[in-house]
Amino acid sequence: LLRSSLLIFFLYFFLFFLDLMGSSFKVLGGCTAGAMFEGLSNPIAGLMVGILATVLVQSSSTSTSIVVSLVGADAMSVPVAIPVIIGANIGTSVTNTLVAFGQFNNDDEFERAFSGATVHDMFNFLSVFTLLPIELIFHPLQLITDAMKPDDVADGDKWEGPIKQWVAPLAKRVINANKDVIKNVASATATCEEIYADSDQKGLIKCGDVYNPFDGTESNVCPLFYKDNASKADDMASGAVCLFIAILGLCFCLYGLVKVLQSMVLASSVGLIKRATNINPYFAIVVGCGVTILVQSSSITTSVLTPLVGLNIVKVEQMFPLTLGANIGTTATALMASMVSDKSEAVQIALCHLFFNVAGILVWFPIPFMRRVPINAAKLLGNLTRTYKGFPVIYILFCFVFVPAVLLGVSSLFDQGGAFVIIGSLCIIVLAVIVLRLLYFFKRQDGYSKITEWLAERQAMVEFNQSLRATIQSHEERLKLLELGAMGANTEAAKSK
C-alpha cells in the first residue's frame, strides 16, 4: 500500500512538473516560436520551423494549434502547413530524450533509457525521410484530407482528457501561459513589443478560468507568477524560474519513481512483470493510443515509459509499438479538438497528422525487417552513450537545433529572391557534398568504428581528468599529514635536547 501510494504521488507530480515545464517553455519561447511562423512559403522551411518551434514550447499540440489558426485565417496554405505539422511530430520527441538523463549515473540504465527514448525519434525521422518527399511530389495527404474535411463544423468547447483535468488545474495556479500571444505574433496581428506596450492586452502569463475536478466548476484564477502590467522581462524571468523549478521537480519525481519501481520489482517477480508487458505488439499500439488520449500528450506517455526501459522492465522492442500508439493518440486528441472548432481546415490538418502517422506505421512496423531498422538505430545510439556519456547532449543539439536551424536558414534564402537564390543554391551544393562525403566515410572508411574510437578517447580523457583530480587531492592530503608528522618529530627532537 505504501509503495502504491508513493508511486501515485511521484507519478502525479511527475506529470504536474511536465505540464509546468511545458508552460514555462511556452512563456520563454512564445514570442520566438510565434515569430517563426511568419512568412513561411516553402515546405522545407515549414518542416524545420515545426521542429524548432515545438522544441521551444515543448508541446506539439501548441504548435499544431498555431498552425490551425493560421490556416483558418488564410495566413498559411495547407501545402506549407502539412510539413509544419510533420515537423511538430519530430520536435515533441525531445521531452522523453531529456527524461532519459534521469538515469545518467548508471551506465546500463542510461544506455537502455536512451535507446528507449530515441526509438521515438528514429521512427519520426524515418517516416519524414520516406513520406515527406511523396507528399511534396504527389500531395496524397492534402488531396485525401481535402476530400474528407466537412464543409462546415459547429463552434464549441475544446475537449480535455480526464488526466489533464486533474493535473492542469494545479499547474495553472503556478503559471498559465497565454497561447493567444503566440498566435497573434505568428499571424502578424501584433508583435510582442506591441502587446506589452498595450496595457489592455495580456502578456505571456495570464489569469484565466481553471477547472476544479472536485466539484466540476470553473473559477477565474491568477497564477502565482502572474503580475499586473508585467513587462516582457518580468514574464521571461517568471518563466525561467518556473522552468528551473520544473526541472528540479522532474528530477526529484523521476528519481522517486525509479526507486519505487525498483523496490516494487524487487519485491515481486521480475519475470511476471516482463510477461505482463509482453503483449501482442498490435494490441500495444492500441494501448499506447488509449493512454495518450487519456493523458493528452505523447510526450507524457513516452516519458513515463523511458525509465521503465532503463530499469529493464520494458524492452525497447516492447516500447516501440507503445510509442507508435502514442503518436496516433496525440493526433486523435487534436482531431477531437478540431471537431468542435468553427474551422473546417482544423479538421483537415488534424487528419493530415493522423494519416501521416498511420502511413509511417504501415511502412515501418508490419514487416519484421523494416521494424528492426528504427529499433536497431535506437540501440546503436544507446551503445554510444556507454562509449561517451556526453553523446546525448551532442545528439540533441545536432538533430533538434543545429540541423533544423541550418536547413531553415538555407531554405529561407530562396524566399528572398535575387542573389540570395544563388547563395542558397551554393549552400545546397555544399550540404549535398557534405552528406555524400559522410555516406562515403561511413560506408567505405569504417566511419562508425572511427567515431566510436574518438568518443571512447574523449570519455577516457574525461575519466582520467576526474581521477587525476582525485589523485592529486589524495596526495595533497597525504603530504599535509607527512608535513604535520615531520613537524611533530622536529618538536619532539627539540624537546629532548
Side-chain angles (χ1 to χ4, degrees):
L1 181 62
L2 177 61
R3 290 193 188 98
S4 299
S5 300
L6 285 172
L7 182 64
I8 293 169
F9 172 82
F10 284 122
L11 184 59
Y12 175 83
F13 280 99
F14 177 77
L15 299 176
F16 162 74
F17 284 117
L18 269 180
D19 196 339
L20 192 67
M21 184 175 74
S23 296
S24 303
F25 272 118
K26 289 182 185 72
V27 171
L28 289 171
C31 291
T32 306
M36 282 183 177
F37 290 96
E38 284 188 63
L40 284 178
S41 61
N42 75 75
I44 301 302
L47 177 69
M48 298 306 127
V49 163
I51 296 172
L52 290 170
T54 307
V55 168
L56 277 172
V57 300
Q58 285 290 289
S59 171
S60 59
S61 61
T62 299
S63 301
T64 52
S65 67
I66 294 170
V67 173
V68 167
S69 66
L70 291 175
V71 172
D74 294 324
M76 182 184 289
S77 65
V78 172
V80 174
I82 291 173
V84 179
I85 295 290
I86 294 171
N89 223 35
I90 293 174
T92 193
S93 59
V94 173
T95 307
N96 59 311
T97 308
L98 294 172
V99 167
F101 282 92
Q103 288 157 296
F104 182 81
N105 290 327
N106 186 303
D107 288 344
D108 292 332
E109 290 182 8
F110 188 45
E111 178 184 349
R112 289 192 295 263
F114 192 70
S115 296
T118 52
V119 76
H120 192 190
D121 306 352
M122 295 302 101
F123 169 75
N124 286 332
F125 283 131
L126 289 168
S127 296
V128 168
F129 293 150
T130 52
L131 299 177
L132 184 61
I134 296 172
E135 175 60 28
L136 295 181
I137 298 168
F138 301 106
H139 313 296
L141 287 177
Q142 182 185 347
L143 296 173
I144 293 169
T145 55
D146 186 60
M148 293 179 66
K149 73 175 183 180
D151 293 330
D152 192 25
V153 288
D155 192 16
D157 297 323
K158 184 181 177 182
W159 183 85
E160 272 200 343
I163 305 297
K164 184 87 170 177
Q165 290 179 353
W166 284 91
V167 174
L170 183 59
K172 286 182 178 178
R173 282 173 164 80
V174 179
I175 189 168
N176 191 0
N178 188 0
K179 296 179 185 178
D180 291 335
V181 171
I182 309 175
K183 292 178 182 178
N184 288 337
V185 173
S187 60
T189 305
T191 64
C192 260
E193 288 70 24
E194 291 170 347
I195 290 170
Y196 278 97
D198 187 351
S199 58
D200 294 330
Q201 292 197 53
K202 297 176 182 177
L204 286 162
I205 302 175
K206 67 173 183 177
C207 300
D209 291 335
V210 176
Y211 175 77
N212 186 336
F214 294 102
D215 58 15
T217 60
E218 287 189 352
S219 57
N220 190 270
V221 174
C222 287
L224 181 65
F225 283 90
Y226 175 77
K227 180 181 176 183
D228 284 326
N229 299 318
S231 65
K232 182 181 175 182
D234 292 333
D235 283 349
M236 288 293 176
S238 298
V241 171
C242 262
L243 179 61
F244 178 72
I245 294 170
I247 291 172
L248 284 181
L250 271 176
C251 293
F252 172 74
C253 291
L254 184 61
Y255 177 81
L257 267 176
V258 169
K259 289 299 180 185
V260 172
L261 286 168
Q262 281 178 332
S263 67
M264 291 178 77
V265 169
L266 292 172
S268 60
S269 168
V270 177
L272 180 63
I273 293 176
K274 287 186 177 180
R275 283 195 298 274
T277 56
N278 192 24
I279 57 177
N280 181 282
Y282 292 96
F283 182 65
I285 293 176
V286 176
V287 171
C289 178
V291 170
T292 304
I293 290 172
L294 285 176
V295 300
Q296 222 183 0
S297 171
S298 60
S299 297
I300 291 176
T301 305
T302 53
S303 295
V304 170
L305 287 170
T306 297
L308 299 180
V309 177
L311 293 171
N312 204 26
I313 296 173
V314 178
K315 298 288 187 184
V316 177
E317 290 82 358
Q318 295 165 328
M319 181 172 176
F320 184 48
L322 293 167
T323 296
L324 301 184
N327 266 15
I328 294 177
T330 195
T331 65
T333 305
L335 185 60
M336 283 185 280
S338 70
M339 288 292 185
V340 290
S341 169
D342 60 351
K343 298 290 183 183
S344 62
E345 289 82 3
V347 181
Q348 182 178 3
I349 293 300
L351 286 172
C352 286
H353 198 185
L354 171 62
F355 289 151
F356 173 78
N357 281 311
V358 171
I361 291 171
L362 292 176
V363 172
W364 295 106
F365 189 74
I367 305 171
F369 80 87
M370 294 290 283
R371 188 186 308 174
R372 296 302 309 173
V373 175
I375 293 173
N376 289 340
K379 287 185 174 181
L380 191 68
L381 292 174
N383 289 335
L384 289 173
T385 64
R386 186 180 289 277
T387 306
Y388 178 53
K389 280 199 162 187
F391 172 74
V393 177
I394 298 171
Y395 165 79
I396 291 171
L397 292 176
F398 181 77
C399 291
F400 296 100
V401 179
F402 178 74
V403 171
V406 169
L407 293 180
L408 176 61
V410 172
S411 63
S412 64
L413 290 173
F414 289 90
D415 296 331
Q416 306 298 319
F420 289 103
V421 175
I422 299 173
I423 297 172
S425 302
L426 291 174
C427 289
I428 287 178
I429 293 170
V430 171
L431 289 174
V433 170
I434 292 172
V435 170
L436 291 172
R437 181 65 183 90
L438 286 173
L439 289 173
Y440 181 80
F441 174 68
F442 281 104
K443 286 287 185 182
R444 300 291 184 181
Q445 297 180 319
D446 198 18
Y448 177 75
S449 297
K450 291 180 179 178
I451 288 177
T452 303
E453 289 173 8
W454 181 79
L455 291 174
E457 288 174 3
R458 293 285 304 169
Q459 183 64 31
M461 190 180 297
V462 170
E463 291 174 356
F464 174 76
N465 289 334
Q466 290 174 345
S467 63
L468 184 63
R469 282 196 293 268
T471 303
I472 292 171
Q473 187 177 358
S474 174
H475 284 319
E476 286 177 346
E477 291 174 355
R478 292 172 68 181
L479 185 61
K480 286 180 181 178
L481 289 173
L482 289 171
E483 288 175 350
L484 289 171
M487 288 174 62
N490 292 334
T491 305
E492 290 294 330
K495 285 182 179 179
S496 63
K497 290 179 180 179

